[in-house]
Amino acid sequence: MLYRVMSLMVSNRYLNLGNNLCVNGSTRENASLKILILSCNTGSGHNSAAAAIAEYAKTQGVTCDIMDALAFTSEHFSKMISNGHSFVYRNMPRAFGWGYQVEEKEDLRFIDFFKRFGSIGAKRLYRYINLKQYDAVVSVHVFASLMLSCVKHKYGPLPPYYFVATDYTCSPGVSRAQADIYFVPHEKTIPEFIHYGIPAERLVVTGIPISQRFFEKQQKAVSRKNLGLPEKGRMVLFACGSIGCGPIPQITKILSDKLPQDDYVTVVCGHNEKLYKHMQAQNYPSNVVLVGYTDQMPLYLDSADLFLSKAGGLSTTEALAKRVPLVYMNTIPGCEKHNFDFMLQNGYAFTGEIPNGLCSQVCALLQDPQTLEKLIEKYENECNHNGAKNICNYIFSHAATMKSQC
């Protein structure tokens, strides 16, 4: 209870309520701070967000430990959830969307299921936090937050505890997270979080955390040369997350036929080795470049004139940071459908009916530089958050203040 009361008192000193609840704190180097980041292995986005926070914290002399929250229940349970999520996400998108809709309709069977299993690991998690004497706990996944809410309910107070939204929506279960502070991706998402019962004074707009590499701009010709890509022509970067899902081969074939002369598409298959091998066997024309898994997405975005993708929270934020215009495939229901709607409603992205309408939209935009320039300008004016930096700066100030008062 003491942590909770102090958290609310201190947070009001750092929230700028007159400026859309944006962070206005400054970074403090404090090597004595110990921060635990909890994630889950359901896709790479959450782990990438955790890594981005740890990456920036390290530049400020603060070390973060990243842990799989579900592993505190059991390694077997964590792997079952991770593998099951990937399988359903990639092969049964309708079932994935149905489960998400059930949760959204306040039929919270799945959330209650995870809370029951999470409660098994809650005691272990509580002991671990106390054993390591962490000064702050950060959750980048709702499953981790449900476990932390069990800890608070059953075993006592926690250090300052922060939830990080990794999509442009308030996902099911977030309202039950019981976090001290919620880091949200954009000013325009605030009403939704408030609608689901999260107090306005606990919301801080930071942006979604991504690696600092996405804020380092390299000239297009240089990045293409470094990647061995053709320097001539316009390039469409086509990627569908680390899992590599959606009708990628079909869209690639249509794009290769429709693209103007000298233009080309670079397809990133991610961890989906089956997809990569399948596409290698298709004998695409020379205007198709195939890539398997890569850790060079910042360079590929620097090389691109347009980014064709599903509406993932992390991939969207990476494109915004690199100022690469977005075209979405509407393939995955659930939180990504909310990302899709948010970006389109606010004029940050384009789309088209899969597959032909989508490919026609891509080709039309490539030949409309004025529209692309306006979109890039919109990104610069309205989507300029450095999430990892903002989150770390806030936590350093908030947690250090609370530590000095305990």
Side-chain angles (χ1 to χ4, degrees):
M1 185 66 183
L2 176 62
Y3 267 115
R4 185 174 180 184
V5 172
M6 292 178 65
S7 175
L8 290 173
M9 291 172 62
V10 176
S11 65
N12 287 331
R13 297 173 55 188
Y14 292 92
L15 289 175
N16 184 355
L17 300 181
N19 187 29
N20 293 322
L21 304 179
C22 289
V23 117
N24 68 343
S26 59
T27 302
R28 284 185 188 174
E29 290 190 14
N30 192 336
S32 67
L33 284 177
K34 296 182 65 176
I35 300 174
L36 173 64
I37 305 176
L38 293 173
S39 185
C40 292
N41 297 321
T42 53
S44 68
H46 301 284
N47 288 338
S48 295
I53 296 170
E55 173 195 61
Y56 184 82
K58 186 176 181 180
T59 68
Q60 305 303 301
V62 177
T63 300
C64 300
D65 295 332
I66 301 174
M67 301 289 290
D68 173 14
L70 294 181
F72 285 94
T73 299
S74 77
E75 291 287 347
H76 176 76
F77 180 67
S78 177
K79 289 179 181 178
M80 180 186 74
I81 295 299
S82 174
N83 294 337
H85 173 276
S86 297
F87 178 83
V88 174
Y89 185 89
R90 182 186 295 167
N91 300 297
M92 304 170 65
R94 290 186 180 180
F96 184 87
W98 173 81
Y100 194 92
Q101 289 174 358
V102 168
E103 296 170 21
E104 284 189 308
K105 291 176 181 178
E106 300 300 321
D107 183 351
L108 299 171
R109 287 175 289 178
F110 291 118
I111 292 175
D112 290 338
F113 167 78
F114 281 109
K115 285 194 75 171
R116 284 197 296 272
F117 269 90
S119 66
I120 298 172
K123 189 172 185 178
R124 293 177 186 170
L125 177 57
Y126 177 70
R127 287 176 174 173
Y128 184 81
I129 291 170
N130 282 285
L131 176 67
K132 295 292 186 176
Q133 297 184 327
Y134 288 109
D135 301 298
V137 180
V138 181
S139 167
V140 297
H141 198 293
V142 68
F143 294 168
S145 293
L146 293 175
M147 287 186 67
L148 287 167
S149 70
C150 288
V151 170
K152 294 179 76 170
H153 177 69
K154 289 188 173 184
Y155 301 109
L158 288 168
Y161 150 42
Y162 311 89
F163 174 77
V164 179
T166 58
D167 289 290
Y168 292 83
T169 186
C170 183
S171 300
V174 172
S175 61
R176 293 187 171 196
Q178 299 183 34
D180 298 306
I181 296 295
Y182 297 77
F183 296 127
V184 299
H186 198 282
E187 291 85 353
K188 294 178 182 179
T189 63
I190 289 173
E192 183 183 359
F193 282 85
I194 293 175
H195 172 76
Y196 283 103
I198 298 171
E201 65 269 17
R202 296 194 180 197
L203 298 172
V204 180
V205 177
T206 56
I208 292 174
I210 57 175
S211 171
Q212 296 305 294
R213 294 174 64 199
F214 290 96
F215 296 97
E216 301 167 358
K217 186 67 177 175
Q218 189 171 94
Q219 290 184 352
K220 189 174 295 182
V222 175
S223 59
R224 289 187 180 184
K225 184 176 180 179
N226 289 338
L227 292 170
L229 295 172
E231 295 183 32
K232 184 180 179 181
R234 293 163 296 198
M235 191 264 273
V236 178
L237 180 62
F238 185 16
C240 289
S242 63
I243 295 176
C245 55
I248 298 175
Q250 183 184 14
I251 292 171
T252 300
K253 177 63 171 66
I254 296 172
L255 263 182
S256 69
D257 293 337
K258 284 180 174 285
L259 283 172
Q261 188 175 3
D262 294 329
D263 294 346
Y264 62 101
V265 56
T266 299
V267 185
V268 179
C269 299
H271 288 291
N272 195 333
E273 294 182 10
K274 183 178 179 180
L275 172 67
Y276 181 53
K277 291 178 180 178
H278 170 77
M279 295 189 72
Q280 283 183 313
Q282 299 307 302
N283 295 318
Y284 289 110
S286 59
N287 64 350
V288 175
V289 178
L290 297 178
V291 180
Y293 171 77
T294 179
D295 60 0
Q296 298 298 319
M297 280 304 290
L299 283 183
Y300 279 103
L301 283 166
D302 281 331
S303 303
D305 296 276
L306 205 62
F307 186 35
L308 174 59
S309 177
K310 66 183 184 65
L314 270 289
S315 57
T316 290
T317 307
E318 291 164 358
L320 295 175
K322 284 294 189 180
R323 309 296 189 241
V324 181
L326 279 159
V327 179
Y328 278 148
M329 293 192 305
N330 186 15
T331 56
I332 305 296
C335 59
E336 294 194 2
K337 178 60 167 64
H338 289 288
N339 292 337
F340 179 95
D341 291 339
F342 177 84
M343 298 298 290
L344 263 66
Q345 289 167 6
N346 288 287
Y348 300 142
F350 292 89
T351 190
E353 186 177 352
I354 297 174
N356 292 296
L358 186 69
C359 295
S360 295
Q361 178 69 275
V362 168
C363 293
L365 286 169
L366 283 177
Q367 299 178 79
D368 187 357
Q370 187 174 6
T371 296
L372 296 182
E373 287 172 8
K374 288 181 179 179
L375 194 57
I376 292 170
E377 184 179 355
K378 195 173 179 70
Y379 293 169
E380 291 174 348
N381 293 333
E382 301 178 24
C383 306
N384 53 9
H385 303 107
N386 185 331
K389 179 180 179 180
N390 292 337
I391 287 167
C392 286
N393 287 351
Y394 187 95
I395 291 174
F396 296 162
S397 296
H398 187 202
T401 301
M402 293 191 61
K403 184 177 180 180
S404 68
Q405 294 181 6
C406 287

